[in-house]
Every structure is written in C-alpha cells, then in structure tokens.
C-alpha cells in the first residue's frame, strides 16, 4: 500500500508541475496575445485643391506593438504630389484650425511612398490624412492602402 501511495503522490506532484508550467507559458492561464489587423483605407481617393481627406481609426485599450502601414501613389497637377500624415486627434484638430500641430508621420510632398509608423501602446484616436491644401487649382487622385495592426 505504501508503494501505491507513493505513486499517487508522484502523479499529483507531476500534474501540479505541468499545470503551473502551462500557466506560465500563457501568462497566468489567459489567452495568448494575437495580432489584429484593421483596414483603414484601400482604393482610389480624390482630394480637391485646398482640401484634405481624413480617415479616423482607433487603437483599443491594452493594444501593444501598434503600427500603421501602407502606401500611396498620387497623380494630378504639375507635381503629381500629395502630403500624407498620421496624427493623434488633438493634433488633427489643431491642424484643421490652422494651428501648430505635430505628426507621427509627415511624408512631405511626394508622388509615391510606403510608410510604417509606430504608434503608442494603449487607447487612442488617430487620423490618416491625405492633404492637398498646398494646391490652389489641381485635384489629386491617390491610389492608396493602409492598415492598422496591433497585438492584443
């Protein structure tokens, strides 16, 4: 009977070690983090002279490894150019009102580019902006795509 008791205690101890090890791998028994991808824009957009097009997107609470990735190609006007920005909601409002504003990404005037913009972890509201405010007469056609990705 002592032999059976030793075997039973050994099984219980091994089972406990296995459960604790698996919990350690999963961060306390929770679900393992996964990467989420959300489309912001995809296709052809038109931006009128002295104007901009903006796309709001939100980063959820608890998100980490936050990035906006995309590309654009502009046509129209003498320069075939557009300015692309990624900014938070406060800076977007300031820019709308002609005040000083900063951006996480500012392409400057370009015909084409790819972008990969890291953003802060956690809850936030942001804007992807295609600005043609510098052009007085030419509308711009922009072939673009952009995605938000994060770990949750």
């Amino acid at each position: 009977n002592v032999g059976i008791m030793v075997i039973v205690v050994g099984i219980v101890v091994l089972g406990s070690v296995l459960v604790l090890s698996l919990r350690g791998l999963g961060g306390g028994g929770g679900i393992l983090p996964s990467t989420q991808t959300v489309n912001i824009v995809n296709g052809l957009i038109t931006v009128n002279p002295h104007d901009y097009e903006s796309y709001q997107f939100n980063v959820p609470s608890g998100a980490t490894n936050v990035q906006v990735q995309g590309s654009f190609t502009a046509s129209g006007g003498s320069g075939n150019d557009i300015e692309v920005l990624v900014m938070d909601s406060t800076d977007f409002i300031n820019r709308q009102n002609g005040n000083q504003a900063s951006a996480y990404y500012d392409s400057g005037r370009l015909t084409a580019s790819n972008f990969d913009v890291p953003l802060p972890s956690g809850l936030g509201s942001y804007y992807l902006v295609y600005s043609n405010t510098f052009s007085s007469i030419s509308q711009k056609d922009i072939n673009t795509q952009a995605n938000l990705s994060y770990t949750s």
Side-chain angles (χ1 to χ4, degrees), residues 70-110:
S71 63
F72 62 91
T73 302
S75 62
S78 61
N80 292 316
D81 53 357
I82 195 75
E83 183 179 13
V84 178
L85 303 105
V86 175
M87 48 195 354
D88 65 27
S89 58
T90 301
D91 283 309
F92 178 71
I93 291 167
N94 283 325
R95 184 175 170 98
Q96 277 184 309
N97 290 292
N99 298 315
Q100 184 176 352
S102 60
Y104 289 96
Y105 172 74
D106 184 343
S107 68
R109 292 187 197 170
L110 292 176

Side-chain angles (χ1 to χ4, degrees), residues 43-128:
L44 184 65
I45 63 173
T46 299
V47 186
N48 291 320
H50 292 299
D51 206 358
Y52 62 88
E53 291 292 325
S54 63
Y55 298 85
Q56 183 180 16
F57 59 95
N58 297 301
V59 175
S61 177
T64 60
N65 303 315
V66 182
Q67 292 187 305
V68 175
Q69 299 172 314
S71 63
F72 62 91
T73 302
S75 62
S78 61
N80 292 316
D81 53 357
I82 195 75
E83 183 179 13
V84 178
L85 303 105
V86 175
M87 48 195 354
D88 65 27
S89 58
T90 301
D91 283 309
F92 178 71
I93 291 167
N94 283 325
R95 184 175 170 98
Q96 277 184 309
N97 290 292
N99 298 315
Q100 184 176 352
S102 60
Y104 289 96
Y105 172 74
D106 184 343
S107 68
R109 292 187 197 170
L110 292 176
T111 299
S113 187
N114 296 316
F115 54 91
D116 188 351
V117 184
L119 294 175
S121 294
L123 185 64
S125 181
Y126 299 90
Y127 288 83
L128 174 61

